[in-house]
Structures are given as C-alpha cells and as structure tokens.
Amino acid sequence: MDTTNIGVEMTNVEALISDNCYKVPSYQRHYSWNKESLKDFWDDLVDVMEGYQDSHFIGQVVTYVNNGVQEVIDGQQRLTTISILLAVVLNKIEDIFDDVDGKPKNKLLTTRANIEELLRWDETNPSLTLQEYETGDNSIDDYFRGIFEGRTDLNPNNKDIEPVKNIKTAFNSFSSLIEDYYKGKKIVFPTDKADVIVNIFKSLKSRFILSKVFTRKKEDAYIIYQSLNSKGTPLKASELIKSHVMLQVANSDDNEKKMVQKNWDKISTAFGNDSDKITTFIRVYWSAVKRVVTVNQLFRSISEGINDKNKTLLFLEDLSEVVDYYVAMENSLSNKKDKELFNDDAIESMLFILKKLGVSLHYPILFSMILRGTDKDTQRVVIYKILSVFIRHRTICGKGTNTLEKGYAKIAQNIWNQKISTGVEITTELDDELLKSDVEVKNAFQGLSKETKKKGEKRWTLIYLMYRLYKEYGDFENIELSQVGLDNLSVIHINKDISSDYVDYIGNYALVENKLKDMYGENDIYKSLSESRYSVNNTISKKLKNKEWDTQDIIERQNDMSNKVLGIW
C-alpha cells in the first residue's frame, strides 16, 4: 500500500458533506441500519443537543477519489443515515413553517437553506448518490432523492426492494423519535418545536465528528475496505467477496467489468440481495470445488484461491451457472421453471424428498455434476445413492451430519477435479466413504422409533419411510415417487394403548390416505385400515379383527421391515 496516496483528517458532518460528491459503488452493501442502530444514533445526538457531550465521534468514512467523485469505500451507512435524518428535519420544518413567524421562521428558513446547500439532492452532482439496485436500475437512489421532497410513499416498482424499505423505515423512525422528544419535553408550541429542529441540525452538522480517510489508488481503497467494518452490522462474507472479485477486474476493460457485474447481479437478485443467503450459496460452491470451510473462513479462503482476473471470471461464471439450480432445490422444486431445470421426474422427486427431509449437504455433489456436464442417467443414480446414504446414516442409524458434510464435499471435489466421473465410480466412492453397513443398519432399524409430527422434517421422514416400505410390500405398483402425492398421505399409530417403549416403533405405524385419517384417524383404526386402498393396511385390519395388535406383532413386523430396508437403500 502506497501511503503517499492516502490522506487522513478529522472532520465534522458539515465539512464532510460540504462541496463534496460521494457515490456508493455497486459492490457496496445496500442500506441496512435497523431501528436499534437508528435509536443509538439518535440517543447520541440527544446527548450532544442537551450538553451531556460537547461532541460525539461516530466513526470513519473511507473514500477513493475518482475524477472529482469520491467513491465511498466504508461509511456509506453513516452518510446515508445522516442524510435521511436531514430529510426528516426538512419534513418537520414543513410541518410547522406556516405556524411560526418572526425570528423562529427566519431560523427555519436558514436551516432549510443550509440543508439544501449541503445535500444538493436536486442537482446533477448531489452530495450523495446511492448505488444501483441492479445494473441500470436506479430505484434506490430515486427513492432516496424523493424523501427530501417529502415523497416517502412506496410504489409498485420499489415496494419489494429491501434497501428502499430500509430507507423508509429509517425516515419514519427518526420522525417518530423527534415526536417522542417533543412529548417527553412537553413541547407543544410550534416556536418551541422550531428551536428543537434548529438544535438538531446545528448539533448534527457541527458536533458530530468523523475521521475521513481518502485514497487516490483504487487498490488501496479495496484493501482498506476489506479490513474495516461499518458501525451497525459487521460486513458479511459475501460482501467482502464481492469487493474482492471487483478488485481482481479493476483494471480490466469495460466489457469484462460489465460481465462481472451482470453475473453478480444475477446471483444477488436470486437471493433478494440477502447477504447471508448469498454467503451460504457461495460456501456450498466452495465446498464443491475446493474445501469445506466455516462462514468465518470463507472470505479468506476465496481471496487466497481466486487471486487473478481469469480465476475471478471463471468463479463468477460457475456461480451464475448453478445459482438457479440452488434456488430451485431450496424451493423444493415448487414451480414449473424449477422443474424444467432438471427435466427429469425421478431426479426432481428425489431432490424434493431430500429437501423435505431437511437435507442440503449433498448440494456440492450436485454442483460438481452440473458444472462438469454429468449426464442425467448418472445424476439419477448418484442422487439415489445420496438419498440412501442419508437414510442409512442419519434416519436409521441416527448419526451426526458432520461426517456427511465432509464426505459429500470430498466426493464433489473428486468429481470437480475429474478423478471420478461415471455413475459406477461416484456411487462406489459414496459406498466406500459413507454408506453404513447392512449389519449396522439392520440392527439399528430393529429398534427404530420415530415420533409423529403434523408438519416438518419428522413428518416427512415417517411418510417417506412408510411409502418405500409399502412399495416393497407390493403397494404403489408401477407408481413412481413423482406420481404419488406424498402430501396426501398421513401416518397413524396402529395401537396407542401399549407400552410407551413400543408405541412409536416403525412397526406400529400405518400409512393411510388423508381422507381416512380425517374421517376415522386413530379413533377407529380398523376402519382406517380396512377402507384403505393399500393391501398392507387391509392385511393388518384382518389381524385387528381377530385379535389385539400387541408388542409381539410390532416386533415381528419391524424385524421383517429391517430386512426390506437393506434392499431399498
């Protein structure tokens, strides 16, 4: 870092803003201060207004000077918050302007003129310009400028844009805090309110102090940005990663820069600009192609591995290619567009079940297969093996997921590195690395019990287990998983009036149609089972007609099931 190109100074808000043009670059995170951060800011200002502090230091602003415009590298949240509060001051001036005259009115006129001169929101080069929401979309900055004119209502084009909603929330919060201040001080008359408004402005502009760091080399600016956190919410890994990839193409031509921005926009938009979701997605990709790291390790690992322009372009191309698949899996392939990505009923239904079971550890393998162009037949075989590994490891044997995460990632990396590619090679490695043995699975299943739940992963686990077992016993013949409609089925106890040790055994459950559960449920098990279309239920109902269903029946049924699961999974 060339320190001769870096300047540092202490300044107040007025000097910081006056005659300067700040621009928030596209790689910066959007405005995100919450009500708690806004209240802290206001409380500090009140302390200054009331003389408890002579001045208050609110942190740093770091900028890169670029052709007369200062790109805000750090401190954009503070600058935006200060501007929003000044917009609220203007609004409060309008509220009482017609109700005062004489000296109070002159003070308000002067305050309004000073704010207009500082912010210049209606000029070509305002004091602060916020970043685009997406390339070519200025919705955030348009709304931001509008609040200085009193246009705070949302419209159909911006009502779902999170940073716009955050700006509106900040505006409303500051407005409410000023009204609360009036009430707390029993300030009723417009002339007294005018004094408060003027005091807010004077205290903010003159007695709120910042350190300003400005650079003339973009590389230095990025390095500083990566090492700092904003007051409020710490920078997320995805935000640091974005700044890093932008640095790698900082000296590229405009077409490459636009391509990088376009790919990042696609990724960001897919997650509604949610930094945490973007981070999780990138972590999955990194697990597939490099290694498993924690969220806290992710930025450092990527910054070390993606360290030139070509690697950056490939990194973003890969992320752009798999992002739609990731979102589709997260959505449980809930719409036509999601399903068309995979275009295979068997694959779709298995991914649907995995998601319903709460499983996402296999995503790295899917990413590697997609990026390496693995054919559908191989994908189908591999995904079923992934499902089998999970059912054996987690559902039946009750083992933790840490082994699965590392194991799936290792296999994904071998696919990525083209050490394995065929269905036989991949499934063999899954067997060798992760598949629990027949002996262990059979022993575990013989004592397996699961509680019933109305919704969630536990409910789906039971329904899927029972569906596959019923299919093994001859029901659902020639009906594939995608055709079953598992959400139309329920699991009920065959006998609840037995020892609590056995009541939740798998052998004491029956899979029935929802309409039968709603009609009879566990109040009349015989009718629930005898009127079912499934032969397994009809057989059990005949036993119930002749005698009670006891623990011995449950144990025998579960032992038989334990032999079946070895062939299923």
Side-chain angles (χ1 to χ4, degrees):
M1 183 184 295
D2 184 358
T3 56
T4 62
N5 285 303
I6 299 174
V8 181
E9 63 185 22
M10 296 297 291
T11 184
N12 61 23
V13 165
E14 182 178 30
L16 180 76
I17 298 176
S18 183
D19 298 324
N20 283 312
C21 297
Y22 296 102
K23 181 178 180 180
V24 181
S26 58
Y27 59 80
Q28 283 284 20
R29 63 176 169 183
H30 296 292
Y31 185 69
S32 61
W33 268 25
N34 56 29
K35 290 183 179 180
E36 183 179 354
S37 298
L38 296 167
K39 180 65 164 54
D40 288 343
F41 186 93
W42 171 255
D43 288 343
D44 291 334
L45 181 59
V46 169
D47 278 355
V48 171
M49 289 164 54
E50 297 184 349
Y52 293 106
Q53 297 185 65
D54 181 60
S55 61
H56 180 72
F57 179 74
I58 61 170
Q60 75 282 330
V61 171
V62 182
T63 67
Y64 157 60
V65 184
N66 183 15
N67 295 324
V69 175
Q70 300 188 60
E71 291 189 11
V72 184
I73 305 305
D74 187 58
Q76 79 277 15
Q77 304 285 324
R78 295 179 188 83
L79 280 173
T80 307
T81 298
I82 290 166
S83 300
I84 294 169
L85 178 53
L86 291 176
V88 175
V89 170
L90 289 174
N91 181 261
K92 295 301 180 185
I93 290 174
E94 294 304 311
D95 286 347
I96 63 172
F97 191 75
D98 293 336
D99 298 321
V100 297
D101 53 25
K103 192 173 182 179
K105 178 164 276 193
N106 289 334
K107 287 182 177 180
L108 293 181
L109 278 170
T110 300
T111 298
R112 183 166 64 186
N114 286 340
I115 293 174
E116 289 175 354
E117 185 179 357
L118 278 177
L119 298 183
R120 309 181 309 279
W121 63 84
D122 58 349
E123 297 182 13
T124 304
N125 295 311
S127 65
L128 178 62
T129 301
L130 301 187
Q131 70 271 59
E132 296 176 327
Y133 179 58
E134 299 173 6
T135 302
D137 185 344
N138 292 311
S139 299
I140 301 171
D141 192 60
D142 289 344
Y143 180 80
F144 176 65
R145 292 198 188 200
I147 65 175
F148 300 102
E149 306 285 352
R151 299 192 302 274
T152 60
D153 290 338
L154 303 181
N155 60 53
N157 295 323
N158 63 24
K159 65 182 180 65
D160 296 321
I161 297 177
E162 200 65 31
V164 168
K165 292 190 291 184
N166 290 339
I167 293 170
K168 179 178 174 61
T169 296
F171 185 96
N172 291 340
S173 295
F174 279 137
S175 183
S176 296
L177 288 166
I178 292 174
E179 293 297 326
D180 291 342
Y181 186 81
Y182 291 156
K183 292 176 184 177
K185 297 294 183 180
K186 295 183 170 54
I187 296 171
V188 177
F189 298 110
T191 52
D192 295 327
K193 290 183 178 180
D195 288 338
V196 171
I197 291 168
V198 172
N199 193 12
I200 290 172
F201 176 62
K202 286 183 175 180
S203 299
L204 180 64
K205 77 183 179 73
S206 301
R207 297 164 65 188
F208 261 37
I209 309 300
L210 308 93
S211 67
K212 181 179 177 181
V213 182
F214 54 93
T215 74
R216 293 182 177 85
K217 289 183 67 177
K218 198 161 192 173
E219 293 81 359
D220 292 343
Y222 277 107
I223 292 168
I224 293 171
Y225 169 70
Q226 290 169 2
S227 66
L228 295 174
N229 283 337
S230 299
K231 181 181 179 180
T233 307
L235 294 173
K236 304 295 176 63
S238 61
E239 294 161 346
L240 292 168
I241 291 165
K242 181 180 180 182
S243 76
H244 176 76
V245 299
M246 296 301 178
L247 172 60
Q248 304 310 308
V249 297
N251 297 318
S252 299
D253 60 46
D254 288 343
N255 288 332
E256 286 180 335
K257 289 180 181 177
K258 286 179 181 178
M259 184 188 304
V260 167
Q261 188 64 55
K262 181 180 179 181
N263 281 332
W264 190 272
D265 283 348
K266 177 182 177 181
I267 295 161
S268 184
T269 302
F271 299 102
N273 295 296
D274 187 310
S275 298
D276 289 326
K277 291 180 180 178
I278 298 169
T279 296
T280 300
F281 163 66
I282 296 174
R283 180 175 177 267
V284 171
Y285 168 79
W286 203 241
S287 296
V289 304
K290 192 70 174 178
R291 65 190 184 96
V292 177
V293 294
T294 66
V295 169
N296 291 334
Q297 297 169 324
L298 182 61
F299 167 65
R300 177 172 294 181
S301 183
I302 286 178
S303 64
E304 291 171 351
I306 308 298
N307 52 19
D308 61 33
K309 182 183 74 173
N310 290 333
K311 290 178 181 177
T312 298
L313 295 175
L314 290 173
F315 171 70
L316 286 176
E317 285 174 12
D318 284 348
L319 290 177
S320 180
E321 185 172 348
V322 295
V323 66
D324 289 338
Y325 290 92
Y326 179 91
V327 172
M329 290 187 289
E330 285 293 282
N331 290 339
S332 302
L333 284 77
S334 58
N335 58 56
K336 183 179 179 181
K337 181 183 176 182
D338 291 343
K339 293 177 181 177
E340 286 176 348
L341 278 172
F342 293 95
N343 197 30
D344 185 287
D345 288 344
I347 291 175
E348 292 162 20
S349 60
M350 287 186 289
L351 292 177
F352 171 83
I353 284 296
L354 283 163
K355 181 59 182 175
K356 290 299 183 182
L357 297 181
V359 191
S360 58
L361 301 172
H362 59 287
Y363 287 0
I365 293 179
L366 266 292
F367 278 17
S368 289
M369 289 197 296
I370 291 165
L371 292 170
R372 288 306 182 198
T374 306
D375 62 83
K376 295 292 182 184
D377 290 338
T378 300
Q379 288 185 25
R380 199 179 304 116
V381 170
V382 170
I383 295 169
Y384 190 76
K385 180 61 70 173
I386 288 169
L387 179 58
S388 297
V389 165
F390 181 82
I391 293 295
R392 285 192 173 214
H393 182 97
R394 181 67 176 160
T395 305
I396 297 176
C397 294
K399 302 298 183 181
T401 57
N402 188 52
T403 300
L404 289 183
E405 180 180 32
K406 293 180 178 178
Y408 284 150
K410 177 183 176 183
I411 292 163
Q413 291 153 26
N414 285 340
I415 296 169
W416 171 258
N417 293 319
Q418 298 179 304
K419 294 180 179 179
I420 53 176
S421 59
T422 68
V424 171
E425 289 172 336
I426 299 170
T427 55
T428 297
E429 189 154 333
L430 280 162
D431 283 344
D432 293 344
E433 292 284 339
L434 298 170
L435 195 70
K436 292 295 181 183
S437 70
D438 286 355
V439 172
E440 188 174 358
V441 170
K442 184 172 181 178
N443 290 338
F445 192 90
Q446 286 174 345
L448 186 65
S449 65
K450 299 282 182 183
E451 293 182 10
T452 54
K453 296 287 182 180
K454 290 183 178 179
K455 58 183 179 180
E457 296 164 10
K458 290 184 177 180
R459 173 183 180 271
W460 278 100
T461 297
L462 264 177
I463 287 177
Y464 177 66
L465 280 176
M466 297 306 293
Y467 154 73
R468 283 301 286 117
L469 285 163
Y470 272 47
K471 187 174 179 69
E472 195 69 15
Y473 283 112
D475 286 311
F476 302 101
E477 189 175 1
N478 299 320
I479 301 175
E480 296 304 317
L481 181 57
S482 59
Q483 303 169 312
V484 173
L486 293 182
D487 50 352
N488 295 318
L489 298 173
S490 294
V491 174
I492 60 174
H493 291 93
I494 299 171
N495 186 358
K496 290 195 74 172
D497 299 322
I498 58 171
S499 167
S500 59
D501 292 337
Y502 293 95
V503 70
D504 289 331
Y505 262 44
I506 304 301
N508 194 37
Y509 283 121
L511 185 70
V512 299
E513 301 89 329
N514 283 345
K515 64 179 182 180
L516 292 177
K517 184 193 176 188
D518 294 339
M519 192 179 304
Y520 306 120
E522 295 176 353
N523 295 320
D524 194 333
I525 295 296
Y526 176 75
K527 286 188 176 180
S528 291
L529 301 184
S530 63
E531 294 181 18
S532 172
R533 70 168 67 97
Y534 305 126
S535 61
V536 171
N537 292 339
N538 301 153
T539 300
I540 295 173
S541 71
K542 290 175 183 177
K543 293 191 72 172
L544 289 174
K545 189 174 182 180
N546 297 325
K547 73 177 190 68
E548 289 291 327
W549 183 264
D550 58 26
T551 56
Q552 189 58 40
D553 294 307
I554 295 169
I555 292 170
E556 289 176 1
R557 185 176 185 230
Q558 189 135 334
N559 285 341
D560 190 59
M561 287 177 166
S562 69
N563 293 317
K564 298 291 186 185
V565 299
L566 302 180
I568 299 171
W569 297 292

